[in-house]
Amino acid sequence: MTIIPDTPSQLRLTPISRLAAGGRWRVEAMRSLREPVLLWFTQGQGRITVAGTTRAYGPNNAAFIPPGVMHGFEIAPRVQGTVVFFGRNHGLDLPATPQFLRPRDPISQKELIATLEAIQRELESARSGSLKAAQHHLGLLGVWLDRQLEREKAFETMPHRPAASQQLVARYASLLERDFRSNRAVADYAEALGVTPTHLTRVCRGACGKGAHQLLEDRILFEARRLLAETRLPVKDVAEMLGFNSPGYFTRAFQKTAGVTPSAFRKKPAGPVVPRV
């Protein structure tokens, strides 16, 4: 099966406010990337779902998301901040699991802002060695992450262990990300996880407000929108890539969720193309 690449390999920064260009589905639906991402929120508030668990975010909050981890977040008109796309060839030793950080002291906040500004300045520069300089500043961002994780641990009175329900949802999200193109049903995922579909749905709803089927449908339809918006693949090929038995069934499922047929969605103005998260 051919998989359409979803991200370029180079380092880049994007304002959070631009991520929803072309539709809120670009940020709110479940998806994953093949590169690490850092979300830095400076204004506004909302909810973010990572690996099947939802939590609130606000000003001066950061979320680090490793490659291949399903995520999505609400974006209100007042939400501002920066997204760092590390690129697939960043060469850094980064956390292997999602991290949600709340830098408590102004110094840490200023350090992060200064590092992001330095990266952006070098990326926009025409001087020789600017890309190399940007990568060095990215290395400092990696150091900032390490230091924040150490501080977060220092604030914990005892080691944190995710609840069994959170672990189950995270395992489901991982399996779903791996196999969502395979036409597997929720019952198949539940069997692989050793639980009933009812139990899986209940813990998913408790962790992120969405049932197991809704998470699966959300992931599939996000990929469908992306392929329709960013490629010229025929609708029947998109349907086949996503495990649908027929183009007609795919069209009905897509229209039920998106409100328009795949062909009509493709014809809609998509807005400027921006790196997606």
Side-chain angles (χ1 to χ4, degrees):
M1 177 183 295
T2 301
I3 299 176
I4 305 300
D6 56 3
T7 56
S9 60
Q10 71 272 17
L11 164 67
R12 61 229 185 267
L13 273 62
T14 301
I16 284 179
S17 58
R18 289 193 61 219
L19 289 179
R24 295 172 69 92
W25 62 269
R26 290 184 179 270
V27 295
E28 295 185 358
M30 292 295 102
R31 92 299 316 274
S32 74
L33 299 180
R34 300 181 189 179
E35 61 181 339
V37 173
L38 178 72
L39 296 166
W40 169 238
F41 299 98
T42 57
Q43 181 178 319
Q45 58 187 6
R47 298 178 70 81
I48 180 170
T49 301
V50 180
T53 298
T54 300
R55 64 192 305 169
Y57 70 80
N60 299 320
N61 286 180
F64 175 79
I65 305 169
V69 174
M70 276 202 343
H71 61 281
F73 66 96
E74 300 171 354
I75 181 167
R78 295 184 178 180
V79 171
Q80 299 291 332
T82 302
V83 186
V84 181
F85 296 90
F86 285 73
R88 294 194 292 272
N89 302 314
H90 54 81
L92 302 177
D93 184 16
L94 297 171
T97 57
Q99 304 293 334
F100 193 80
L101 304 170
R102 292 186 173 92
R104 293 168 171 82
D105 60 289
I107 294 178
S108 294
Q109 298 169 14
K110 290 178 180 178
E111 285 178 345
L112 176 57
I113 293 171
T115 300
L116 296 181
E117 289 177 347
I119 293 173
Q120 189 66 56
R121 186 166 55 251
E122 293 297 344
L123 290 177
E124 295 174 350
S125 172
R127 296 183 299 171
S128 62
S130 58
L131 292 180
K132 184 177 181 180
Q135 286 296 142
H136 281 297
H137 286 297
L138 187 66
L140 292 177
L141 178 57
V143 173
W144 183 90
L145 275 172
D146 289 340
R147 289 173 174 171
Q148 288 306 307
L149 289 175
E150 290 180 1
R151 291 173 182 173
E152 292 285 333
K153 290 179 181 177
F155 278 98
E156 294 178 358
T157 57
M158 58 185 302
H160 174 69
R161 180 178 177 81
S165 59
Q166 289 181 312
Q167 294 180 19
L168 176 60
V169 176
R171 288 168 59 204
Y172 173 59
S174 180
L175 279 180
L176 195 157
E177 179 57 35
R178 188 190 71 185
D179 296 337
F180 73 87
R181 300 177 183 87
S182 65
N183 201 27
R184 298 178 72 185
V186 169
D188 299 316
Y189 289 102
E191 182 179 3
L193 293 167
V195 298
T196 66
T198 300
H199 179 67
L200 180 60
T201 293
R202 184 168 55 248
V203 296
C204 285
R205 199 174 299 282
C208 65
K210 296 183 179 181
H213 178 75
Q214 189 176 358
L215 285 174
L216 173 59
E217 183 181 70
D218 203 23
R219 183 64 183 95
I220 293 172
L221 270 298
F222 173 86
E223 196 69 12
R225 289 184 181 102
R226 185 184 74 81
L227 292 172
L228 291 168
E230 300 176 8
T231 77
R232 296 184 179 180
L233 288 170
V235 171
K236 64 180 182 64
D237 290 351
V238 174
E240 182 180 355
M241 288 181 64
L242 296 177
F244 286 88
N245 294 325
S246 71
Y249 179 48
F250 167 65
T251 295
R252 289 192 295 273
F254 186 91
Q255 187 169 13
K256 179 182 177 182
T257 302
V260 295
T261 65
S263 297
F265 176 84
R266 175 169 270 169
K267 292 176 182 178
K268 291 172 60 178
V273 177
V274 297
R276 65 181 188 80
V277 64

